[in-house]
Amino acid sequence: MNTEELVLLATSIAKEVGTEIYRLRTAGVQVSDTKSSLNDIVTEADKIAERMIVERITQARPDDAIYGEEGTRQSGTSGITWVIDPIDGTVNYLYDLAAYCVSIAACVEDETAFEDGRRAVAAAVYNPKTGELFYATEGAGAFLNDERIFVSKDTPLNQALVATGFGYTAERRLEQIKLLSGVIAEIRDIRRIGTAAYDLCLLAAGRIDAYFEKGIKPWDWAAGALIAREAGAVLLGKTATELPGETMFIAGNELLALNLQELLAV
């Protein structure tokens, strides 16, 4: 397995697809469907972007599996599964806010890493609105536009800027507000940006200090998790015996991640 080849493919596709969704956004956004609630939207651009990603991966690596947010479930025989989110931050995309991205990760099976039983070995996250290309390969560090990036190191909990997110159903949002109420008084402030993949990249670049969220899916975390980990982040689940994933995803430098895990263990 050549992770350098995988990341080159991921970055190339992410930039190509990002350029296309940016072009489509300038022409206007059409909401084509909803999923878990009326707030959980799918645009035509989401569908076009996922088709583009699948076509490019299949052309380059026909034996790989693909698992996409918008329904792609393509089996493979190579041991590599591409976990993709064509537009992470679709509501931001709808409103033309500068926080949406294409997220692409090449993953291998690993039941010890995350709840879904995979870990990324190469990943790219591209924000076409800002021109930021985040990428990483396992063991080789994380980068933003070819510059090495690192998580913040020494920020204490009471000075930490922490990102989180909310789900789309009223029930999930009430759960997340309850979790947030146990954290907000202990930290500097909260940021709710609206895209988990980008949150994890901002963490990797030291622009936020930590991140937590309940309810995110593999396509939300796969690429961003590798980028954050290669930048020095520790990734935790709800407790010391649980893996990070949909139940709870916590990320930050080791001390902050452990501090948040203690606050969130309710």
Side-chain angles (χ1 to χ4, degrees), residues 54-178:
V54 172
E55 287 172 4
R56 300 300 185 272
I57 293 172
T58 302
Q59 288 168 2
R61 297 182 58 88
D63 297 328
D64 292 355
I66 306 175
Y67 182 57
E69 181 183 16
E70 306 309 334
T72 300
R73 302 291 184 270
Q74 185 166 303
S75 60
T77 58
S78 67
I80 298 292
T81 298
W82 293 86
V83 181
I84 62 174
D85 193 337
I87 305 177
D88 192 39
T90 301
V91 174
N92 289 341
Y93 182 73
L94 175 66
Y95 283 86
D96 201 21
L97 298 174
Y100 59 86
C101 55
V102 180
S103 176
I104 301 175
C107 302
V108 296
E109 291 186 9
D110 185 348
E111 294 184 356
T112 69
F114 299 96
E115 279 185 343
D116 71 326
R118 303 184 189 96
R119 79 173 195 280
V121 294
V125 173
Y126 181 58
N127 181 337
K129 186 77 171 177
T130 63
E132 295 167 310
L133 176 65
F134 298 87
Y135 61 94
T137 54
E138 190 170 60
F143 297 83
L144 166 56
N145 294 341
D146 298 329
E147 183 176 337
R148 187 82 182 265
I149 53 175
F150 300 92
V151 300
S152 64
K153 297 291 186 184
D154 301 318
T155 308
L157 182 66
N158 64 0
Q159 294 177 32
L161 184 63
V162 180
T164 192
F166 301 144
Y168 294 106
T169 66
E171 294 79 10
R172 176 52 58 83
R173 288 178 174 182
L174 288 172
E175 291 178 46
Q176 290 164 323
I177 288 293
K178 180 182 285 188

Side-chain angles (χ1 to χ4, degrees), residues 146-253:
D146 298 329
E147 183 176 337
R148 187 82 182 265
I149 53 175
F150 300 92
V151 300
S152 64
K153 297 291 186 184
D154 301 318
T155 308
L157 182 66
N158 64 0
Q159 294 177 32
L161 184 63
V162 180
T164 192
F166 301 144
Y168 294 106
T169 66
E171 294 79 10
R172 176 52 58 83
R173 288 178 174 182
L174 288 172
E175 291 178 46
Q176 290 164 323
I177 288 293
K178 180 182 285 188
L179 289 171
L180 181 57
S181 68
V183 172
I184 189 67
E186 307 297 329
I187 62 174
R188 167 169 279 160
D189 208 349
I190 282 286
R191 291 293 178 269
R192 196 285 198 220
I193 295 167
T195 154
Y198 194 50
D199 282 336
L200 288 165
C201 290
L202 295 178
L203 169 67
R207 298 184 195 168
I208 59 172
D209 299 304
Y211 164 80
F212 75 91
E213 189 165 350
K214 178 178 181 177
I216 59 172
K217 303 292 186 178
W219 47 77
D220 296 314
W221 78 65
L226 176 62
I227 293 165
R229 192 175 74 233
E230 287 296 320
V234 172
L235 310 176
L236 302 176
K238 186 174 180 180
T239 69
T241 60
E242 295 182 61
L243 296 173
E246 187 172 356
T247 303
M248 180 60 69
F249 201 107
I250 301 168
N253 67 49

Side-chain angles (χ1 to χ4, degrees), residues 19-29 44-46 48-49 93:
T19 299
E20 177 62 11
I21 64 171
Y22 185 79
R23 185 191 68 79
L24 291 169
R25 181 64 191 76
T26 63
V29 178
E44 283 301 313
D46 286 278
I48 291 168
Y93 182 73

